[in-house]
Amino acid sequence: MLQNYAPILIFLGIAGVLGVVLLALGFMFGRGSKNPDKLAPYECGFEAFEDSRLRFDVRYYLVAILFIIFDLEIAFLFPWAVSLDEIGLFGLGAMGIFLAVLVVGFIYEWRKGALEWD
């Protein structure tokens, strides 16, 4: 029974070894200077602080959530466009309703000022 899983285990082993080797080569032969500014975390959108209970601006997270919503819209549009001949008018109507709900949400966010950066 383990013979069925052998190709998967071999693939995972080769991928793991290749990943470790490539990371090691990057660290050994990389030319970039490794100063503290380059190694600091930057994905949160604001400067790091010591106390986790301090207030911070949530607009960054709101824009990120809006991006995810509209990115998912595109992810649903591609398969719909490919299969439009097969799903016919029902699929067209369903996608019209889906897009209408998203447009209403976008207009609501726009009117509330969620897209404004002061």
Side-chain angles (χ1 to χ4, degrees):
M1 179 159 167
L2 288 178
Q3 291 175 346
N4 295 336
Y5 294 106
I8 296 172
L9 293 175
I10 292 170
F11 176 75
L12 288 175
I14 291 172
V17 168
L18 184 64
V20 169
V21 167
L22 290 176
L23 280 173
L25 287 173
F27 276 111
M28 287 191 308
F29 297 114
R31 295 186 207 197
S33 62
K34 294 167 180 67
N35 59 23
D37 289 335
K38 282 191 174 184
L39 297 175
Y42 58 89
E43 68 272 358
C44 60
F46 50 83
E47 292 293 325
F49 46 82
E50 298 296 325
D51 189 11
S52 63
R53 290 178 291 255
L54 290 175
R55 290 183 177 232
F56 57 90
D57 195 5
V58 297
R59 286 183 290 176
Y60 175 81
Y61 299 106
L62 183 61
V63 170
I65 290 171
L66 289 174
F67 171 76
I68 290 171
I69 289 171
F70 290 108
D71 191 43
L72 286 176
E73 173 189 359
I74 299 300
F76 283 126
L77 281 175
F78 281 125
W80 171 78
V82 169
S83 65
L84 187 57
D85 291 338
E86 298 169 8
I87 57 177
L89 288 176
F90 176 75
L92 184 65
M95 187 53 70
I97 293 170
F98 174 70
L99 291 175
V101 169
L102 282 175
V103 166
V104 168
F106 181 69
I107 291 171
Y108 174 77
E109 292 293 332
W110 195 340
R111 289 202 177 179
K112 287 291 185 178
L115 304 175
E116 300 293 326
W117 286 90
D118 295 332

